Amino acid sequence: MTGLEPEPVPEGEVPRQRFVPESLPAPDGGPGTKPNSGTSVMRVATPGMITLRGRIRSEPIASAVRKAIGIDIPEPRRILSVDGRSLAWMSPDELLILTPLGGSGSTIAALSSALEGQYALLADVSDARLCFRIAGPSSRELIAKGCPVDLSPEAFSPGDFRRSRLGQVPVALWMPDPGQFMLLCFRSVSDFVEHWLQNAAQGEFSGYL
């Protein structure tokens, strides 16, 4: 699995249904117009996630990270990806490492060995967050409804990473590819985020899955 598959449905539960909004009324009151097609929101299987806290700009820590996962420390508000792993800048003293499903344990072991003797904190936070994928031609507009980030193509493109709020709850978001956003939120507020995205899409955007 790559970490982008739809979240498995527990036995006995009903799969989430695709939400297709009604046609929008035309500005002149004439026949309704169809919303922009192809935009969808989906829960995806959460990748392994590791928090690294420390002096991330120091050469010993940067070298240890490079040795363990093969990625350089990203610039502020950026995310770098190599061979199925990603490294995101969270704050001046924090990195978020994304691994394939089930890969957090081996990655922590490699990092612990490489960071030996350095003042740093590693924590597996895979169970703390949940991931959504928003994709399609209206994905920027959908997220911008509740996220105070400039999401214009000139200001936000693949490789950019932001910590912000969506509907007043903390989120992080980035674009793995053009036209596609990944959004992380705490698992405790994931239902709220899902409902917020559903309501934001209603009547304007084409799909909710």
Side-chain angles (χ1 to χ4, degrees), residues 6 16 38 69 100 127 132-133 138 151:
R16 291 179 174 83
I69 64 175
D127 293 336
F132 291 89
R133 177 174 56 198
S138 298
L151 295 176

Side-chain angles (χ1 to χ4, degrees), residues 132-205:
F132 291 89
R133 177 174 56 198
I134 302 97
S138 298
S139 54
R140 293 179 187 271
E141 291 80 1
L142 175 56
I143 298 173
K145 277 190 167 187
C147 193
V149 172
D150 184 354
L151 295 176
S152 64
E154 298 77 17
F156 200 100
S157 59
D160 286 319
F161 185 93
R162 295 290 188 278
R163 296 179 72 180
S164 185
R165 289 182 174 271
L166 182 83
Q168 299 304 311
V169 300
V171 297
L173 65 152
W174 72 99
M175 296 181 70
D177 299 294
Q180 179 181 155
F181 285 84
M182 301 300 292
L183 185 146
L184 286 177
C185 68
F186 288 115
R187 192 171 291 270
S188 59
V189 297
S190 61
D191 285 345
F192 170 82
V193 170
E194 187 171 23
H195 294 154
W196 188 97
L197 290 167
Q198 180 181 11
N199 289 334
Q202 188 168 7
E204 293 189 46
F205 304 108

Side-chain angles (χ1 to χ4, degrees), residues 103-118:
S104 57
S106 59
T107 302
I108 284 181
L111 283 166
S112 296
S113 176
L115 288 165
E116 187 174 358
Q118 300 302 315

Side-chain angles (χ1 to χ4, degrees), residues 13 17 20 36 45 51 62 64 91 95 106 119 128 140 143 171 206:
E13 289 192 12
Q17 299 298 311
V20 181
N36 202 350
T51 288
S91 74
L95 297 170
S106 59
Y119 184 75
R140 293 179 187 271
I143 298 173
V171 297
S206 65

Side-chain angles (χ1 to χ4, degrees), residues 25-32:
D28 59 1

Side-chain angles (χ1 to χ4, degrees), residues 81-133:
S81 301
V82 175
D83 295 333
R85 291 174 173 168
S86 298
L87 188 61
W89 185 94
M90 295 288 277
S91 74
D93 68 347
E94 181 181 0
L95 297 170
L96 181 65
I97 301 157
L98 305 175
T99 75
L101 290 172
S104 57
S106 59
T107 302
I108 284 181
L111 283 166
S112 296
S113 176
L115 288 165
E116 187 174 358
Q118 300 302 315
Y119 184 75
L121 169 69
L122 287 170
D124 189 336
V125 295
S126 305
D127 293 336
R129 296 181 175 95
L130 192 139
C131 196
F132 291 89
R133 177 174 56 198

Side-chain angles (χ1 to χ4, degrees), residues 58-81:
S58 67
E59 182 54 31
I61 289 184
S63 296
V65 171
R66 193 180 305 114
K67 176 182 177 181
I69 64 175
I71 306 177
D72 290 321
I73 304 298
E75 294 297 317
R77 301 195 299 181
R78 296 285 290 174
I79 182 169
L80 299 175
S81 301

Side-chain angles (χ1 to χ4, degrees), residues 28-43:
D28 59 1
T33 59
K34 290 291 184 181
N36 202 350
S37 63
T39 301
S40 63
V41 179
M42 182 184 294
R43 287 195 186 204

